[in-house]
Amino acid sequence: MRAHLTRRYMFSASHRLHSDQFSEEENRLTYGKCNNPFGHGHNYMIEITVSGFVDDQTGMVCNLVDLDGVVQDKILERYDHQNLNLMPEFKNTVPTTENLCIAIYEIVSRGFHEAHLDKVRIEETMMNSFEYAGEDL
Amino acid sequence: MVFLTRKAEFSASHYYHNPAFTTEENRRIFGKCNNPNGHGHNYTLEVTVKGVVDPKSGFVVDLKELKDIMNREVLDALDHRFLNKEVPEFATKIPTTENLAIAIWQRLAPKLRAAQLHRVRVYETPDLFVDVYGDTNGPDAEAQGAV
């Protein structure tokens, strides 16, 4: 039977929502407080969901240690206690949680091949969350 | 179609070990979970059923009946047990969260009459959970040794 395994991680980072394609006034109207030029931060909660058939030798969809290793090296080391606006992936893309979801999905998708990556879900705060499951769904 | 989820909690111990692996392989693959004396978790189970709302009762399913089935088929068998030694499914299968979710699905699915089982979710810890939807089809089923 196919099983879908979800693992939660946390990191903290700062960002500022600002688009070069908007005027100063449009940026303020669109992003409100998030447009504060000094930035602000969040504790991001990341959920990575992978799936596959359960291997009858190990009882696992994938080895959790390997998933943790990839997320630690490629996501947490990269983003924890950083300013997202300074990352290359957000040079020309606004670091909204939508775009962060897509960036993390693409990094995990490139780095982890033991199971199918179903989706990335991020809670920016307890009040809002975002999911990205790739474009083929 | 309406989906209804009922939660339950149980505590159990387990360890991971495959007799086909060497001692060294067991240690490498399963790490701390290979300790033969076992270790335990407080598991949270979420059972989601789906169905159309009965026009007379306003229910998808009688919650009392669902709770009784979950208690009888799952919690009585798993709560405060050593999964490897006391639960028949794990005499031959490793009691990972994946296999636990599958075993719970297989215990519940045939017993539900009014509503259809949609999803079984098992939290081993707050930061690790497994979902199963009863999906046994797929091109990789055989190759990956599908359960």
Side-chain angles (χ1 to χ4, degrees), chain B residues 61-73:
Chain B
V61 64
D62 183 336
L63 258 181
K64 169 79 168 64
E65 192 185 333
L66 177 60
K67 187 178 159 188
D68 288 347
I69 293 171
M70 285 167 63
N71 281 339
R72 193 175 63 238
E73 302 299 327

Side-chain angles (χ1 to χ4, degrees), chain A residues 63-126:
Chain A
N63 198 319
L64 203 55
V65 174
D66 298 338
L67 178 63
D68 284 352
V70 168
V71 173
Q72 179 65 38
D73 290 350
K74 298 189 184 297
I75 304 297
L76 305 183
E77 294 283 337
R78 182 176 187 80
Y79 292 117
D80 191 32
H81 287 70
Q82 296 294 323
N83 181 334
L84 298 180
N85 296 70
L86 302 180
M87 315 291 294
E89 56 271 44
F90 298 115
K91 190 166 182 291
N92 299 309
T93 307
V94 185
T96 57
T97 311
E98 290 91 326
N99 282 331
L100 185 60
C101 254
I102 295 171
I104 290 177
Y105 180 94
E106 286 175 353
I107 293 170
V108 176
S109 165
R110 280 197 300 273
F112 186 73
H113 308 290
E114 277 183 44
H116 177 260
L117 177 60
D118 284 355
K119 68 175 181 189
V120 171
R121 178 173 170 273
I122 303 181
E123 288 181 14
E124 184 184 66
T125 69
M126 282 169 65

Side-chain angles (χ1 to χ4, degrees), chain A residues 8-34:
Chain A
R8 278 184 176 222
Y9 308 90
M10 302 278 299
F11 68 80
S12 305
S14 64
H15 70 170
R16 179 203 184 195
L17 304 187
H18 181 90
S19 172
D20 293 337
Q21 295 172 51
F22 290 148
S23 67
E24 289 300 320
E25 178 57 20
E26 284 172 329
N27 268 300
R28 265 194 299 275
L29 279 172
T30 306
Y31 298 123
K33 282 195 293 188
C34 300

Side-chain angles (χ1 to χ4, degrees), chain B:
Chain B
M1 185 77 78
V2 173
F3 296 78
L4 180 150
T5 300
R6 171 97 197 162
K7 262 192 200 195
E9 289 185 329
F10 62 93
S11 303
S13 59
H14 70 172
Y15 76 111
Y16 297 169
H17 179 84
N18 184 340
F21 294 156
T22 65
T23 304
E24 174 50 36
E25 284 172 329
N26 271 298
R27 240 183 251 135
R28 181 173 52 78
I29 294 165
F30 298 124
K32 283 195 291 189
C33 299
N34 186 230
N35 175 355
N37 298 319
H39 62 279
H41 297 285
N42 297 324
Y43 291 95
T44 300
L45 168 65
E46 284 182 12
V47 174
T48 303
V49 298
K50 62 182 175 184
V52 290
V53 178
D54 181 285
K56 283 186 196 153
S57 66
F59 288 164
V60 168
V61 64
D62 183 336
L63 258 181
K64 169 79 168 64
E65 192 185 333
L66 177 60
K67 187 178 159 188
D68 288 347
I69 293 171
M70 285 167 63
N71 281 339
R72 193 175 63 238
E73 302 299 327
V74 179
L75 302 180
D76 289 352
L78 305 182
D79 190 32
H80 286 72
R81 300 287 182 188
F82 193 154
L83 300 177
N84 302 65
K85 300 185 182 192
E86 298 185 89
V87 179
E89 287 93 324
F90 304 118
T92 53
K93 286 190 190 347
I94 300 166
T96 55
T97 316
E98 291 92 322
N99 278 336
L100 194 51
I102 290 170
I104 292 171
W105 177 282
Q106 288 168 340
R107 281 170 176 259
L108 289 175
K111 305 292 179 184
L112 292 169
R113 287 172 290 115
Q116 197 188 339
L117 188 55
H118 171 66
R119 184 185 77 190
V120 166
R121 172 174 287 187
V122 179
Y123 285 87
E124 185 183 81
T125 62
D127 60 7
L128 175 66
F129 62 88
V130 168
D131 293 326
V132 294
Y133 299 85
D135 175 13
T136 52
N137 299 312
D140 51 352
E142 203 172 320
Q144 293 197 13
V147 178

